[in-house]
Amino acid sequence: MTAPTIAIVGAGPSGCYLAQALRKKWAEARIDIFDRLPVPFGLVRYGVAPDHPGTKAVTQQFERLFERDGIGFHGNMALGRDLSLDDLREAYDVVALATGLAADRPLGIAGDYLPGIYGAGAITRRFNDHPDEQGLRPELGQRAVIIGQGNVGIDVLRLLSKPEAAFEGSELSPEALAACRAHPLARLDIVGRSSAANAKCDAAMLRELGRLEGLSFHFAEPLPAPESVDEKAASLRLAAFHELAERGASSDDGCHIHFHFGWTPEKVLGDSRISGVRFHGGEAGRNCLELSTDSIITAIGFTQQDPRLPGSPEAPQPDEQGRLAHGLYCTGWLRRGPRGTIPENRQDARAVASTIATDCAERTLGRPGFAALPEAVIARATDFAGWKRIQAVEQAEAPAGRLCRRIPDLARLLQIAQATPVGGP
């Protein structure tokens, strides 16, 4: 069978895992990954907390796709701005969308439009020096409430309360830290709908919090014993919460962190700006919790911001195998919603790759691929060599105690990526 030409839109983990799985099925297929930024790796580069370089190390595996496995990288290519979905479908036998879900899901309650509310995704991208978030300077005040107790919420809590000296060896730039933490927080409340046993965070994330100096941990209600639950993950989570509770107040000067379980947001309080937030919970949901706050950070998941793509009510939705139309597929969060870790995207990509292989066995193939795109599109694209130049500059400019200094300015990223290397044409 003739190997297909394949275009993948999105160079994050879902797109890279899909390219990896498809290369194993077709050694000779032309596989190209497109991304709107001149840098690859998406969620890994900009969504993983910058003080978790170990998680970001998966990019070393993805680099081999471009260096050894013949996968093409074409950056600075935004769907709808530089090329259309029709352009890709006419040029390639297969098109797969792996653009993820980047928009923070709104609270959807009264008052959620007031100034002082920030999305955890946007704040994490600002901590990672994403070009889109350079204008973000969150005014958090002295007291903030995080709504959502998943790993994203715990990440933001840690980044906002962690002592500055503890960022040694991370990828966090001093500029990003100053933008997000103009003033130290005195108190952080983190509120979730689930019980402590069923909170959506991992025990390892809580133990990491417990290793930080200068933080105090408080719990409004007594915690169940770890042995009171049968599920192992829940037991480990409760044990980690107990460790935080036993540590208690370590300093009057550091940030005081308060955990609240079993509460659902009901209303944001305030007139011209937020002043607090009201929750309901308890038996039959009749109890009330009101927290005064200077700011709210929502960590309740992500949604689609592009009305043309899956996840938006107006867009076509995929079937269970990831098919959107003849020769058009999607994978990762775009297919199954904003849940699951980076490794889980690998399993999803493998399943979609199998669907693509099955469908291609029954189709006539032979579209030319990248060369068939409009000349203006091809001329605009940056390549993997351009990314390596960016990477070299970011590592060379690393401040003392940091692994790199990410370049937040899109114009400079493009300037470096598009520069002709010494000895080039």
Side-chain angles (χ1 to χ4, degrees):
M1 183 186 76
T2 302
T5 54
I6 302 169
I8 299 171
V9 182
S14 293
C16 288
Y17 278 134
L18 182 60
Q20 188 180 69
L22 290 168
R23 174 56 78 220
K24 290 180 179 179
K25 293 183 180 297
W26 288 293
E28 303 302 323
R30 172 68 191 253
I31 303 174
D32 292 307
I33 301 181
F34 295 81
D35 201 278
R36 71 182 183 90
L37 293 175
V39 296
F41 311 135
L43 179 68
V44 182
R45 178 175 167 92
Y46 291 121
V48 173
D51 61 339
H52 279 178
T55 305
K56 292 177 181 285
V58 71
T59 59
Q60 297 171 14
Q61 175 189 152
F62 297 153
E63 295 243 351
R64 292 195 289 270
L65 290 171
F66 307 106
E67 295 173 334
R68 185 189 65 190
D69 296 338
I71 307 297
F73 172 70
H74 308 288
N76 196 34
M77 292 281 97
L79 197 65
R81 181 194 71 189
D82 304 299
L83 73 170
S84 69
L85 193 53
D86 288 341
D87 288 334
L88 287 175
R89 297 187 69 188
E90 289 173 7
Y92 288 85
D93 295 312
V94 171
V95 176
L97 304 177
T99 53
L101 299 172
D104 286 286
R105 190 158 69 88
L107 287 171
I109 59 176
D112 70 352
Y113 59 88
L114 288 170
I117 302 176
Y118 305 93
I123 286 182
T124 303
R125 289 192 296 274
R126 182 65 188 88
F127 269 115
N128 276 305
D129 286 306
H130 194 296
D132 289 354
E133 304 295 350
Q134 290 313 292
L136 180 61
R137 298 287 191 277
E139 298 179 9
L140 301 179
Q142 292 291 306
R143 179 170 176 173
V145 172
I146 298 173
I147 300 178
Q149 293 175 340
N151 286 342
V152 172
I154 299 296
D155 268 341
V156 172
L157 184 152
R158 186 185 66 256
L159 290 169
L160 291 176
S161 61
K162 187 173 183 174
E164 186 171 349
F167 287 109
E168 180 90 9
S170 75
E171 297 183 355
L172 179 66
S173 73
E175 294 81 7
L177 183 61
C180 294
R181 289 171 40 167
H183 305 285
L185 284 162
R187 172 166 173 158
L188 261 170
D189 292 83
I190 182 164
V191 187
R193 291 185 300 178
S194 300
S195 65
N198 295 318
K200 305 305 179 185
C201 55
D202 296 333
M205 301 281 283
L206 300 174
R207 290 196 297 270
E208 183 180 1
L209 274 179
R211 292 192 291 269
L212 298 175
E213 298 294 332
L215 304 182
S216 303
F217 301 96
H218 310 266
F219 295 82
E221 301 290 338
L223 291 163
E227 58 269 21
S228 67
V229 294
D230 295 329
E231 205 263 320
K232 183 178 179 181
S235 179
L236 291 172
R237 190 178 299 113
L238 282 173
F241 277 129
H242 274 277
E243 291 171 11
L244 295 179
E246 289 164 8
R247 173 173 159 173
S250 61
S251 169
D252 290 334
D253 297 328
C255 184
H256 290 256
I257 297 171
H258 294 251
F259 286 89
H260 308 267
F261 305 104
W263 297 99
T264 299
E266 179 180 294
K267 183 179 181 179
V268 176
L269 307 176
D271 297 320
S272 59
R273 184 181 170 85
I274 69 166
S275 60
V277 57
R278 178 187 303 149
F279 301 84
H280 65 264
E283 291 186 14
R286 294 194 183 97
N287 295 344
C288 177
L289 171 69
E290 283 194 9
L291 296 173
S292 298
T293 188
D294 300 314
S295 57
I296 294 172
I297 300 164
T298 60
I300 57 173
F302 302 92
T303 188
Q304 181 57 264
Q305 58 185 356
D306 190 333
R308 301 163 301 174
L309 297 179
S312 169
E314 298 87 2
Q317 303 305 308
D319 65 14
E320 292 184 1
Q321 287 72 44
R323 298 184 189 91
L324 286 163
H326 183 72
L328 180 63
Y329 305 84
C330 63
T331 187
W333 282 9
L334 202 63
R335 184 180 81 83
R336 69 182 192 278
R339 58 184 180 275
T341 60
I342 289 174
E344 287 178 77
N345 282 324
R346 184 178 186 179
Q347 299 301 319
D348 188 74
R350 287 176 172 175
V352 174
S354 294
T355 297
I356 292 172
T358 299
D359 291 352
C360 283
E362 301 172 357
R363 291 179 51 198
T364 300
L365 306 172
R367 299 191 178 192
F370 189 71
L373 292 174
E375 289 184 9
V377 170
I378 294 175
R380 182 180 174 87
T382 61
D383 59 13
F384 189 71
W387 152 242
K388 296 302 287 183
R389 288 193 289 274
I390 291 170
Q391 185 182 52
V393 171
E394 291 185 334
Q395 291 173 349
E397 294 182 353
R402 299 292 190 267
L403 298 176
C404 65
R405 185 197 293 273
R406 286 203 191 86
I407 298 168
D409 181 64
L410 181 58
R412 187 171 180 225
L413 288 171
L414 288 170
Q415 181 184 40
I416 297 169
Q418 294 169 339
T420 302
V422 176

